[in-house]
Amino acid sequence: MVRVEDITESILSYNPDANVDIIWKAYVYSAKVHRGQVRLSGEPYLSHPLEVAHILTKLKMDESCVAAGLLHDTIEDTISTSEEIREHFGEEIFSLVDGVTKISKIEFASSEEQQAENYRKMILAMAKDIRVILIKLADRLHNMRTLEYMSGDKREKISRETLDIFAPLANRLGIGWMKLELEDPAFKYLYPDKYKEIMDRVAEKYEERVKFIEEIAIVINKELDKADVKGKVMGRPKHYYSIYKKMIDQSISFDQVFDITGLRIITDTVKDCYSILGIIHSIWKPIHGKIKDYIAMPKANMYQSLHTTVIVPPSNRVEFQIRTEEMHRIAENGIAAHWRYKEVSKKDEKAAKVDERFAWLKHILEWQKDMKDPKEFLETMKIDLFPDEVYVFTPKGKVISFPKGATPIDFAYYIHTDVGDKCVGAKVNRKIVPLKYNLSNGDIIEILTSPAHKPSRDWLKIVKTSRARTKIRNYLKIEEKARSITLGREITEKEIQKYNLSPSEVLKPEALSEAIKTTGFSNEENLFAAIGYGRYHVHQLMMKLIPPEKIEERKKREESRFKKIISRVTKKPEIGSVKIKGVEDFLTRFAMCCNPVPGDKIIGFISRGRGVTIHTADCPNIAELQYDKDRLVTVEWDLKEKTLHKVRINIHTLDKPGILADISASIASQGVNISQADIETTENKEAFLNFSIEISDLDQLQKVINSIKKLKGVLKVERVKEYKKLKRAASGK
Ligand code: MN
């Protein structure tokens, strides 16, 4: 059993200034709370935290980390509490112990490759401090070493986890020896037959292999001596699980894997590395494409070595790794090899420094993967550029990654489009949360749905994944189109009724599809949708569907209807706003041709039996009435009372959707009513509009006209003083 003195001694060997008091304190505390507990092996429980702490010193961890190793099972397995640990050992050590405790609580449900990767990432994301993962790995390593005492079921579960999660994690952190030490026992318990088979075959070849390596070493050493280059040649032990994995991954036989002999040469300087490479190539023929210079171009985890594979006659392949001592240390210990001990004296500064230290460690993590091709490089870059991911669970324990800030809606759409569309709420860790809740690491998400529910446009503002965004947009688009089709159909049916025809008659399938052929639309739905959106004018469709005589009929009907309106307006005398000089109580009415407005110069014309008609002084009709001068009277505005006057304006515009609405809105914004509107469109996409508006005076009219003129698409606005057919009036005739 490891003693605490072994641990302190080990720390002092790589960090002579280490504060070993804290190690002793942690040891005493751990011994106290674990007292009476026994491991399945029969050893006192304390042996486990001691071993874990010792492994951490092998990784050359700092004293806080080693102390946390001694305490790592206290919160979980003893009467000790978080508060107690924090109080006795401070925030730093507490947060390490707490982090390990949290990771231990993650249930690993699936061993599917992608899942395993998500678990590994989640662990990395959850552990804000990389030391937490190193403690967890040390814990797992000791558990694997003592796995034989466990029951079969547990042994299998732990082995599976180790192979799927922890060994790859150690690999990612670049801790080569730990990866191998985790893998082989896990392999042994999971696949005992395969393990035994490979072990036996390795043993069978053992002597032959040792002999071969010796022969090679002799040849190399001779050449190195000649060139006066130092180098230590050694065989690389083959690990059972890595042999097995190679056989499976590359579908090759044991012999094919085993025929490649791995050798390592360790030398003093980088220059010597290259010299040795040259010497090897001068002895044996290298295999094309197998020479790798990881010295000039280190791997992302800072791994450096020269690799080459050569053919040793008659047909043995030998793979060399050539590196310096320093490179070897990094290859074995990965992240732990980069540890630095620049202790900061002030405690406050320490916390900040710790963060800084781990920032670059995390960076290395992201760059871990061997960048085999540019695509992978870019993907790695992406992770680095957008490092903020969260990992959450489905109720069944599947881990899914999301961008930081993602909401339950993103989660719902990840599960299924239908779940997303019908999502009404969510439970996170069994508690109801709002839909805008931000997912966080380790959350268990459950989506509440309702069959009648529909996605809302507001969701677009809170979702973070493009999948959810696309799905919501799709839904809204389909819904909007459906609405436009209905609307387009309604517009069309109403329009048909204006010709005194029955919509169902006119819209008979044959007739409609015949008409559609000439519109350029592929089907009925698209046509009606376009009418609904206002992209296609219903008038154009009418021209194709309605018989010409019916069109003519409608025109006439409308003209007569128009006349009715005019006469109705005419019949309404507006008394009191004009005064006729010298004459009292004369019946006055405003001429329909010029519609005088207060402010206009006016003149009266005595009509037979209908009183005095008021025209503007410049009304063309007055000019024609000059022959009857006697009946013209001078009148003037009497502005004591404010009355409304109908004025007609002509507007010439481009025929574009929404323009009518814009114009009406701009008239209404001046506080003016529209009493009548007529619209005609032309084939060259222009429109002539004629509005009757109710104006109190000339000033107000000018304001209305100016505001319409400002609108986009309006070509011309003018007041009509002489009623004529619109088109002619507007085209300046
Ligand atoms: Mn433990």
Side-chain angles (χ1 to χ4, degrees):
M1 186 167 125
V2 170
R3 298 163 312 136
V4 65
E5 290 86 351
D6 299 329
I7 294 167
T8 52
E9 217 170 87
S10 183
I11 293 185
L12 291 170
S13 75
Y14 57 81
N15 183 15
D17 302 329
N19 167 19
V20 291
D21 291 352
I22 194 75
I23 305 295
W24 275 99
K25 191 178 168 190
Y27 166 71
V28 170
Y29 182 87
S30 188
K32 189 182 90 189
V33 294
H34 284 301
R35 183 170 300 144
Q37 294 179 340
V38 178
R39 296 268 294 174
L40 288 171
S41 62
E43 280 184 293
Y45 194 90
L46 190 62
S47 66
H48 171 64
L50 280 167
E51 290 284 353
V52 170
H54 194 242
I55 292 167
L56 290 168
T57 67
K58 200 180 167 193
L59 289 169
K60 299 192 167 60
M61 290 293 101
D62 59 9
E63 54 269 37
S64 294
C65 182
V66 176
L70 284 166
L71 299 167
H72 81 272
D73 276 333
T74 54
I75 297 180
E76 181 93 33
D77 293 341
T78 77
I79 50 153
S80 142
T81 62
S82 301
E83 290 70 37
E84 220 176 275
I85 301 289
R86 188 187 267 125
E87 193 185 307
H88 283 66
F89 297 97
E91 194 57 41
E92 186 187 354
I93 290 177
F94 163 72
S95 75
L96 292 172
V97 176
D98 186 53
V100 179
T101 309
K102 276 184 184 143
I103 286 179
S104 303
K105 282 184 180 152
I106 300 172
E107 282 283 331
F108 301 96
S110 160
S111 63
E112 199 189 319
E113 189 52 38
Q114 186 53 45
Q115 268 306 93
E117 180 59 19
N118 275 345
Y119 278 117
R120 293 194 284 271
K121 280 184 172 177
M122 180 173 67
I123 291 172
L124 293 177
M126 278 180 78
K128 289 183 201 105
D129 188 325
I130 215 77
R131 291 177 296 181
V132 167
I133 294 163
L134 296 172
I135 298 168
K136 184 66 206 169
L137 285 174
D139 176 42
R140 179 50 58 108
L141 181 59
H142 184 241
N143 284 338
M144 288 311 290
R145 284 174 181 169
T146 54
L147 201 59
E148 58 190 297
Y149 302 104
M150 285 263 181
S151 71
D153 276 6
K154 266 198 167 170
R155 208 145 67 183
E156 205 167 296
K157 181 175 174 280
I158 291 174
S159 296
R160 172 53 61 200
E161 250 178 45
T162 302
L163 223 44
D164 288 340
I165 313 290
F166 293 104
L169 209 49
N171 187 42
R172 259 196 136 183
L173 299 176
I175 313 169
W177 67 269
M178 193 182 260
K179 170 194 174 249
L180 296 171
E181 252 203 71
L182 286 168
E183 276 175 354
D184 272 358
F187 178 45
K188 181 173 129 190
Y189 292 117
L190 280 176
Y191 308 100
D193 297 345
K194 298 263 185 261
Y195 180 84
K196 192 170 181 308
E197 189 192 329
I198 289 173
M199 192 174 72
D200 288 349
R201 298 199 66 175
V202 168
E204 225 173 78
K205 297 234 178 183
Y206 181 76
E207 278 186 33
E208 189 187 324
R209 189 178 140 85
V210 169
K211 209 173 137 241
F212 181 68
I213 290 171
E214 274 170 7
E215 282 167 16
I216 298 277
I218 288 167
V219 177
I220 293 172
N221 282 330
K222 212 175 106 193
E223 293 302 315
L224 291 182
D225 279 348
K226 263 197 230 161
D228 198 21
V229 175
K230 272 186 212 156
K232 203 161 57 185
V233 183
M234 45 190 150
R236 269 148 52 202
K238 288 267 182 188
H239 287 266
Y240 302 139
Y241 182 66
S242 48
I243 293 171
Y244 174 71
K245 206 159 176 299
K246 254 190 192 155
M247 288 166 65
I248 299 289
D249 289 353
Q250 300 171 23
S251 310
I252 51 176
S253 68
F254 174 86
D255 287 329
Q256 282 169 300
V257 176
F258 210 74
D259 280 353
I260 304 168
T261 306
L263 284 179
R264 186 171 295 142
I265 303 178
I266 294 180
T267 183
D268 290 342
T269 65
V270 170
K271 189 174 153 280
D272 288 347
C273 289
Y274 289 102
S275 305
I276 293 171
L277 183 73
I279 289 167
I280 289 170
H281 287 170
S282 70
I283 310 172
W284 298 290
K285 194 175 157 36
I287 294 175
H288 181 73
K290 288 281 186 183
I291 305 166
K292 302 261 164 62
D293 186 349
Y294 293 118
I295 292 178
M297 293 207 279
K299 284 193 193 184
N301 59 1
M302 298 192 183
Y303 172 90
Q304 287 185 301
S305 274
L306 296 174
H307 289 190
T308 185
T309 304
V310 299
I311 305 268
V312 176
S315 64
N316 291 303
R317 288 201 283 167
V318 180
E319 189 186 77
F320 286 98
Q321 293 172 348
I322 308 157
R323 54 174 79 144
T324 64
E325 284 285 355
E326 173 67 6
M327 291 172 194
H328 184 59
R329 201 171 66 80
I330 290 170
E332 284 295 289
N333 292 307
I335 256 181
H338 297 290
W339 217 254
R340 294 288 179 271
Y341 295 94
K342 280 173 196 152
E343 280 304 316
V344 187
S345 51
K346 279 184 223 159
K347 267 194 177 170
D348 295 11
E349 259 177 70
K350 202 169 175 181
K353 288 280 172 188
V354 165
D355 282 352
E356 230 172 74
R357 207 157 48 178
F358 297 122
W360 73 263
L361 284 175
K362 281 203 169 171
H363 190 75
I364 289 183
L365 284 182
E366 302 301 339
W367 286 78
Q368 263 301 301
K369 288 182 180 172
D370 302 354
M371 280 168 280
K372 291 191 196 88
D373 59 33
K375 203 176 135 215
E376 199 179 356
F377 173 75
L378 277 177
E379 259 161 39
T380 313
M381 276 296 289
K382 224 188 288 170
I383 293 169
D384 196 45
L385 287 171
F386 308 104
D388 301 306
E389 284 186 30
V390 289
Y391 299 88
V392 300
F393 292 101
T394 66
K396 283 183 183 161
K398 195 176 165 196
V399 182
I400 310 169
S401 73
F402 286 97
K404 204 167 207 161
T407 62
I409 301 171
D410 291 296
F411 181 90
Y413 276 105
Y414 176 88
I415 301 298
H416 196 275
T417 307
D418 243 19
V419 176
D421 285 348
K422 297 183 174 15
C423 166
V424 285
K427 280 184 183 175
V428 168
N429 307 326
R430 296 205 189 86
K431 274 186 215 139
I432 299 247
V433 296
L435 282 177
K436 60 173 198 268
Y437 172 86
N438 285 354
L439 304 182
S440 69
N441 277 318
D443 280 350
I444 303 168
I445 318 285
E446 204 182 319
I447 296 297
L448 309 171
T449 59
S450 155
H453 196 74
K454 291 170 185 174
S456 127
R457 189 167 287 277
D458 292 341
W459 288 5
L460 290 172
K461 288 179 210 150
I462 55 173
V463 295
K464 278 283 181 302
T465 54
S466 53
R467 181 188 167 87
R469 198 164 287 131
T470 310
K471 297 284 178 187
I472 296 167
R473 283 223 181 94
N474 275 352
Y475 184 91
L476 293 173
K477 231 189 244 166
I478 291 166
E479 202 188 36
E480 197 173 278
K481 189 175 179 188
R483 238 183 291 138
S484 297
I485 291 169
T486 313
L487 182 64
R489 197 178 280 277
E490 268 171 34
I491 291 173
T492 308
E493 287 176 356
K494 275 191 184 153
E495 193 65 19
I496 291 168
Q497 283 165 348
K498 287 184 186 166
Y499 294 92
N500 284 344
L501 291 167
S502 134
S504 59
E505 279 291 315
V506 175
L507 295 178
K508 268 186 180 160
E510 314 83 60
L512 185 59
S513 63
E514 201 56 41
I516 287 171
K517 272 182 201 162
T518 64
T519 58
F521 290 99
S522 53
N523 59 40
E524 202 178 309
E525 293 201 332
N526 289 345
L527 167 70
F528 286 130
I531 292 173
Y533 281 126
R535 283 200 288 260
Y536 186 75
H537 204 290
V538 69
H539 189 65
Q540 289 168 269
L541 180 62
M542 292 301 110
M543 291 303 140
K544 297 176 199 301
L545 282 171
I546 308 289
E549 66 272 16
K550 287 280 177 188
I551 293 176
E552 202 51 40
E553 232 181 270
R554 182 184 167 189
K555 244 189 205 163
K556 282 187 186 141
R557 209 167 40 242
E558 299 214 326
E559 273 168 18
S560 67
R561 185 174 61 105
F562 199 65
K563 274 177 192 148
K564 252 185 232 162
I565 293 167
I566 293 167
S567 61
R568 201 173 62 221
V569 174
T570 318
K571 270 174 204 155
K572 239 194 271 164
E574 290 164 84
I575 301 166
S577 54
V578 278
K579 195 171 76 182
I580 297 165
K581 259 192 179 167
V583 191
E584 296 286 322
D585 295 335
F586 221 94
L587 186 63
T588 56
R589 63 183 187 95
F590 293 101
M592 278 306 297
C593 48
C594 53
N595 288 300
V597 170
D600 280 337
K601 277 185 183 162
I602 44 175
I603 193 159
F605 181 77
I606 303 163
S607 62
R608 287 176 217 276
R610 282 189 297 176
V612 177
T613 310
I614 311 298
H615 290 261
T616 60
D618 59 353
C619 175
N621 288 332
I622 286 292
E624 282 176 30
L625 293 170
Q626 291 293 337
Y627 65 92
D628 226 339
K629 270 181 190 164
D630 295 346
R631 291 164 73 181
L632 290 173
V633 291
T634 307
V635 289
E636 57 187 31
W637 292 103
D638 176 11
L639 294 173
K640 271 175 269 175
E641 282 178 69
K642 211 174 191 184
T643 52
L644 290 176
H645 301 262
K646 272 196 208 306
V647 170
R648 207 176 272 123
I649 52 174
N650 276 347
I651 305 163
H652 181 194
T653 73
L654 298 176
D655 180 15
K656 58 171 210 167
I659 189 129
L660 188 57
D662 289 350
I663 293 171
S664 335
S666 118
I667 294 173
S669 73
Q670 300 293 326
V672 170
N673 285 331
I674 302 164
S675 56
Q676 196 197 334
D678 265 28
I679 296 130
E680 261 185 44
T681 53
T682 68
E683 258 134 55
N684 52 351
K685 293 244 157 202
E686 289 179 11
F688 295 98
L689 293 81
N690 178 259
F691 281 85
S692 284
I693 54 176
E694 294 175 332
I695 290 289
S696 58
D697 59 35
L698 206 54
D699 250 21
Q700 194 182 25
L701 176 64
Q702 203 51 55
K703 276 181 194 155
V704 169
I705 288 174
N706 289 345
S707 78
I708 297 170
K709 274 183 179 164
K710 278 181 201 151
L711 296 174
K712 218 174 174 182
V714 170
L715 304 171
K716 192 176 177 190
V717 188
E718 59 180 13
R719 179 178 172 191
V720 186
K721 289 207 173 169
E722 187 186 15
Y723 181 70
K724 278 184 181 173
K725 192 75 181 126
L726 301 173
K727 250 184 233 179
R728 272 182 285 136
S731 54
K733 246 189 168 178

